[in-house]
Amino acid sequence: EEERERHTNELSTLCSIYSALNASADLKARINQAVEELLNFLSADGICIYLLDDDGRYHLRYCQGLSEDACRQVSILDENSIIHRIAQINEYTIYEDLPEECPDEICLLEKENIASIAYVPINSKENKTFGVIRVGSKKPMYFSHEQKNVLELIGNRIGVGIENARLQEQYIKSEKKYRTLFNSDPHPKFILDRKTFEILDM
């Protein structure tokens, strides 16, 4: 019964996250809704999402919960950070006994009374890591390796949502660029249907 209830809860959360990511709102609102669903599912105290930027560093893009202030203090992380290391190994990772000489972002989370931390890589369709979800809880020994599959599924789904939104943005920019070039050209131009020769644009 407990196992069935757990699976039902996981499926319900996955459906809620899928629905949130496929909603008609803008990307930020969709991700924030998905993060809220994940936060409720895990009963965690804070979630931050870092995404790889063009400068090769991981930038804080989405944040909710207790660790929000701590996340904002270290909003850009380089190759010395744990976020970067998790992205390199591309594996679900749990931290319980936090090291004394820890990187800055972990020290800040300790000050926020975060005792357990789980890291979930966000992968592209080509299985390349371009982001990391960090989930924190005040309770020690809170996260388990049994959660690995469902959290990886959620991480991948969020990754697909972000990728699709970026592709859509690129398409819109490309369309705008084409339209500007087409409309600004001083020479007459006609776009015809290849079969009927109907004028589609001019």
Side-chain angles (χ1 to χ4, degrees):
E1 282 295 320
E2 284 178 6
E3 188 74 8
R4 187 163 57 184
E5 191 177 333
R6 186 174 66 82
H7 279 298
T8 303
N9 194 21
E10 286 176 359
L11 284 171
S12 174
T13 302
L14 284 169
C15 289
S16 298
I17 287 173
Y18 281 27
S19 298
L21 291 168
N22 291 322
S24 56
D26 66 0
L27 178 64
K28 188 172 183 180
R30 283 184 278 156
I31 297 293
N32 281 330
Q33 182 60 41
V35 166
E36 197 172 316
E37 295 286 348
L38 181 56
L39 202 64
N40 292 335
F41 166 64
L42 294 171
S43 300
D45 294 300
I47 294 181
C48 295
I49 297 180
Y50 288 84
L51 299 178
L52 184 64
D53 214 322
D54 294 335
D55 61 4
R57 298 185 295 176
Y58 285 82
H59 292 242
L60 178 67
R61 294 291 179 231
Y62 308 94
C63 193
Q64 282 190 37
L66 177 73
S67 60
E68 192 169 341
D69 291 337
C71 287
R72 294 200 193 289
Q73 287 181 54
V74 189
S75 58
I76 301 174
L77 298 170
D78 59 19
E79 64 275 0
N80 297 316
S81 67
I82 288 180
I83 292 283
H84 194 277
R85 271 181 253 162
I86 298 300
Q88 291 294 308
I89 62 172
N90 192 19
E91 284 181 9
Y92 170 69
T93 307
I94 300 168
Y95 278 88
E96 294 293 351
D97 298 319
L98 304 180
E100 289 183 11
E101 295 181 7
C102 54
D104 290 342
E105 76 259 29
I106 293 273
C107 289
L108 284 167
L109 292 172
E110 279 186 307
K111 288 175 187 175
E112 293 278 321
N113 298 318
I114 296 292
S116 301
I117 305 170
Y119 292 89
V120 184
I122 300 174
N123 292 325
S124 67
K125 291 167 190 171
E126 292 79 29
N127 205 32
K128 291 181 181 175
T129 308
F130 69 91
V132 175
I133 302 170
R134 181 175 64 205
V135 191
S137 173
K138 285 181 175 181
K139 298 173 185 174
M141 310 301 289
Y142 190 72
F143 300 105
S144 69
H145 288 283
E146 285 71 36
Q147 295 167 323
K148 180 176 186 281
N149 290 338
V150 70
L151 288 177
E152 283 180 343
L153 270 174
I154 290 168
N156 288 338
R157 190 65 197 92
I158 288 173
V160 169
I162 292 169
E163 263 196 314
N164 288 345
R166 285 177 171 176
L167 286 170
Q168 190 176 6
E169 281 175 12
Q170 286 174 4
Y171 171 77
I172 291 167
K173 284 178 185 175
S174 176
E175 177 67 23
K176 283 180 181 175
K177 186 178 179 182
Y178 154 76
R179 181 54 56 191
T180 302
L181 290 170
F182 185 80
N183 291 338
S184 303
D185 195 317
H187 302 100
K189 269 201 184 86
F190 293 86
I191 297 179
L192 308 177
D193 184 288
R194 291 175 68 175
K195 292 180 180 176
T196 64
F197 298 105
E198 178 189 355
I199 297 173
L200 303 173
D201 204 351
M202 60 183 287

